[in-house]
Amino acid sequence: NEGLTARSSTDIKKSVTSVPTRIDIAGTWIDQPFVSCHAPGWALTVSLEPTFEVRDRCGLSTSTRNVIKKIFPHSLPKNMDPEVLARLMFCLENHPERENGHVSGAQDAIGICVPGLCRHYYNNRFWPDKIETCSDESILTWLEEHICMIPMFPRRPGCSVVENTHVSRENVLALTAAAEDCWNAIMTKDLEGFASAFRASFEAQIRMFPGMVNPKEDKLATDESNGFLGSVQEYIDVYSAMSGVLAWKLAGAGGGGYLILVCSD
C-alpha cells in the first residue's frame, strides 16, 4: 500500500521475539556502587512480556535486551537457572573491551531474565548480595491492574541525566526505605501504601538525579514535534492531575521514555 514501508517475510521473522523487557518499580540507581556505598538497599523490578514495540532509549533496558537477543534472538532458554542467565548476560554486556566503559546496572539483566516480581539487594557492589522473587499469580495480577505505562519521547541525543547529582547518605536512605515499603505494600496488596512508596522512591531518585526530569540536552537535537509534549515535566503535570492516578515515576534513568503510573484501576 502507498505510504507503508515494504517488509519481507524475512524481515518480519527477524523482528518477532518474546524476549522480555523489564520495568523498575522502586530503588532505581541502588545497583550502582557509587549509590549503594552510602547505604545498602533493594531494587524492585518486574519482568514484562511486551505486547508493543520496545523502543530504544526509553528506560526499558533495551541496551541489555539487545545484547541478550544477540545470543537468544527469539526467547530466553527454558532450561537455565534465571539468576545464572542474568549474571551471564550482565557479564556479556559489561565485558572489559566495551566501548564506553560504563557498567550497566545489574537490575537490567536481572529484571529481564528473572521472571515475575523480583527484588535484589545491593551493598557497594555491582552484583546484588541476594535476590528474592515473587511469582504469586494473585499478586502479579493485582500489580498489573494498577500499573499503566505512558509513552513519551525517547531520551534525546546529547541527553545527560547524571550531571548536577546529589548522592548523599540521607538521599540514599530515603530511596532504600521507599523500596522496602514498596515491596511490603505489594505483598499485602495495599494500594495506598504502594502508591505512597512508589512516589517516595521517585522523589528520592530525582533528589539525587534531577536530570531524570530536567536533563542536560543538546538543544539542536530537541524535537517537540510528532505529537509529543515538549518535556518530561509536562507529561508529569498532565497525567498526575488525572482522576484515578495515585503516583508516578519514570522508567529507568528517565530523561524521556515512559511515564509509569499507579492507578486506582
Side-chain angles (χ1 to χ4, degrees), residues 102 235 257:
H102 171 72
Y235 277 92

Side-chain angles (χ1 to χ4, degrees), residues 104-175:
S104 296
Q107 73 155 1
D108 294 341
I110 294 170
I112 291 174
C113 296
V114 179
L117 175 65
C118 183
R119 68 172 180 171
H120 6 124
Y121 190 81
Y122 296 87
N123 188 3
N124 200 21
R125 297 171 61 199
F126 283 108
W127 191 256
D129 290 354
K130 51 188 174 181
I131 299 174
E132 297 180 4
T133 61
C134 172
S135 56
D136 185 316
E137 192 62 36
S138 67
I139 290 177
L140 297 180
T141 300
W142 178 86
L143 196 58
E144 285 182 343
E145 291 172 348
H146 295 292
I147 287 181
C148 177
M149 296 173 61
I150 304 299
M152 303 184 291
F153 48 84
R155 190 166 57 249
R156 290 158 172 152
C159 168
S160 175
V161 302
V162 292
E163 297 193 14
N164 192 32
T165 59
H166 307 283
V167 181
S168 66
R169 178 170 174 79
E170 178 184 4
N171 289 339
V172 175
L173 284 172
L175 180 74

Side-chain angles (χ1 to χ4, degrees), residues 174-200:
L175 180 74
T176 60
E180 180 79 31
D181 291 344
C182 196
W183 177 269
N184 292 335
I186 293 172
M187 293 300 102
T188 58
K189 302 179 188 176
D190 173 7
L191 181 57
E192 183 177 341
F194 172 44
S196 176
F198 190 86
R199 176 79 183 277

Side-chain angles (χ1 to χ4, degrees), residues 49 52 93 111 138 146 168 195 200 232-233 251:
E49 296 182 3
F52 54 90
E93 181 175 14
S138 67
H146 295 292
S168 66
V232 170
Q233 188 61 56

